[in-house]
C-alpha cells in the first residue's frame, strides 16, 4: 500500500471516528468525550498507568443520561464511569456488530482485562439505513470474535 493511500485512509478513519463520537454524544446522552488532562486525571483516580491514555476514546456514565456534565462529574460519578474504546463504520450492519471489521491494539485488550466490567468496546454503525451502536465488554467481544490475526506495526 502506498504511503499516500495509507495516509488518506487514516484521515478518512479519523473523520469517521469523529462522526461516531458525535453520533453517540448527540443521540445517546451519557457518553462524554474528555480532553487529555481529564483522561490523565481519571486514570490517576483509578490508579492506572498513563500508558493506557490511548486505549479509550470516550467515557460512558449511565447515571448521567439526560444530565449535563459539570466540572466535578468525574469525581462525583467515578464509581459509575465506564471507559469506552470506539470502533466506527459506515458499512450497513443491520445486526451490528455482526460483520464488523476493525483493528484493535494489544494495549486495548490489556486495558479491558485490567478494568473488567468498567471497560467496553462500542461498535457504531453510521450507515443511514441502519444507524446503531452496541456496547460489549471484553468477555462478550471474545465470544463473538470469528477470526483474529496479528499485524506488526514497525517503525525504522
Amino acid at each position: 500500500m502506498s504511503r499516500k493511500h495509507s495516509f488518506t485512509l487514516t484521515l478518512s478513519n479519523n473523520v469517521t471516528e469523529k462522526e461516531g463520537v458525535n453520533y453517540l454524544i448527540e443521540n445517546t446522552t451519557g457518553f462524554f468525550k474528555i480532553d487529555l488532562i481529564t483522561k490523565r486525571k481519571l486514570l490517576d483516580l483509578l490508579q492506572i498507568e498513563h500508558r493506557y491514555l490511548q486505549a479509550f476514546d470516550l467515557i460512558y456514565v449511565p447515571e448521567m443520561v439526560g444530565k449535563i456534565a459539570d466540572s466535578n462529574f468525574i469525581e462525583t460519578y467515578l464509581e459509575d464511569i465506564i471507559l469506552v474504546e470506539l470502533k466506527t463504520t459506515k458499512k450497513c450492519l443491520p445486526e451490528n456488530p455482526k460483520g464488523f471489521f476493525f483493528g484493535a491494539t494489544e494495549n486495548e485488550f490489556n486495558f479491558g482485562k485490567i478494568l473488567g466490567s468498567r471497560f467496553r468496546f462500542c461498535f457504531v454503525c453510521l450507515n443511514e439505513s441502519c444507524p446503531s451502536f452496541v456496547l460489549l465488554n471484553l468477555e462478550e467481544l471474545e465470544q463473538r470474535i470469528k477470526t483474529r490475526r496479528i499485524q506488526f506495526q514497525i517503525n525504522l
Side-chain angles (χ1 to χ4, degrees):
M1 182 181 305
S2 74
R3 292 182 101 181
K4 182 178 179 183
H5 176 74
S6 180
F7 179 74
T8 303
L9 188 59
T10 299
L11 287 178
S12 174
N13 289 342
N14 289 344
V15 168
T16 301
E17 182 176 299
K18 285 181 182 179
E19 289 176 23
V21 168
N22 291 337
Y23 171 80
L24 290 171
I25 290 172
E26 292 169 6
N27 294 299
T28 312
T29 57
F31 287 93
F32 299 92
K33 179 79 173 165
I34 58 175
D35 61 25
L36 191 57
I37 293 168
T38 308
K39 274 183 148 186
R40 285 188 180 116
K41 179 179 177 179
L42 177 57
L43 290 180
D44 288 342
L45 290 168
L46 295 172
Q47 299 179 348
I48 295 175
E49 297 175 60
H50 286 194
R51 70 183 178 128
Y52 294 107
L53 280 167
Q54 299 303 315
F56 70 104
D57 300 306
L58 299 166
I59 60 172
Y60 176 60
V61 188
E63 288 71 16
M64 289 289 293
V65 172
K67 298 179 183 175
I68 297 172
D70 62 22
S71 60
N72 297 323
F73 89 104
I74 294 290
E75 293 91 349
T76 304
Y77 294 98
L78 182 62
E79 296 303 315
D80 304 313
I81 292 174
I82 296 170
L83 290 80
V84 177
E85 172 58 24
L86 188 64
K87 303 299 178 186
T88 309
T89 187
K90 291 187 176 181
K91 182 179 173 182
C92 181
L93 298 176
E95 297 178 53
N96 184 15
K98 185 176 180 183
F100 221 105
F101 176 78
F102 67 98
T105 66
E106 184 177 18
N107 216 31
E108 292 166 359
F109 278 87
N110 290 340
F111 192 53
K113 288 175 188 171
I114 290 168
L115 285 172
S117 64
R118 297 191 69 170
F119 179 81
R120 300 284 192 290
F121 282 94
C122 183
F123 297 93
V124 178
C125 174
L126 296 173
N127 188 283
E128 62 186 37
S129 67
C130 55
S132 63
F133 76 94
V134 175
L135 286 166
L136 297 176
N137 64 33
L138 191 56
E139 183 180 323
E140 293 166 329
L141 177 61
E142 293 280 5
Q143 292 171 0
R144 292 177 183 230
I145 292 174
K146 290 182 180 179
T147 58
R148 178 189 307 209
R149 67 181 171 87
I150 296 174
Q151 176 180 341
F152 295 96
Q153 301 288 323
I154 300 168
N155 290 324
L156 300 177

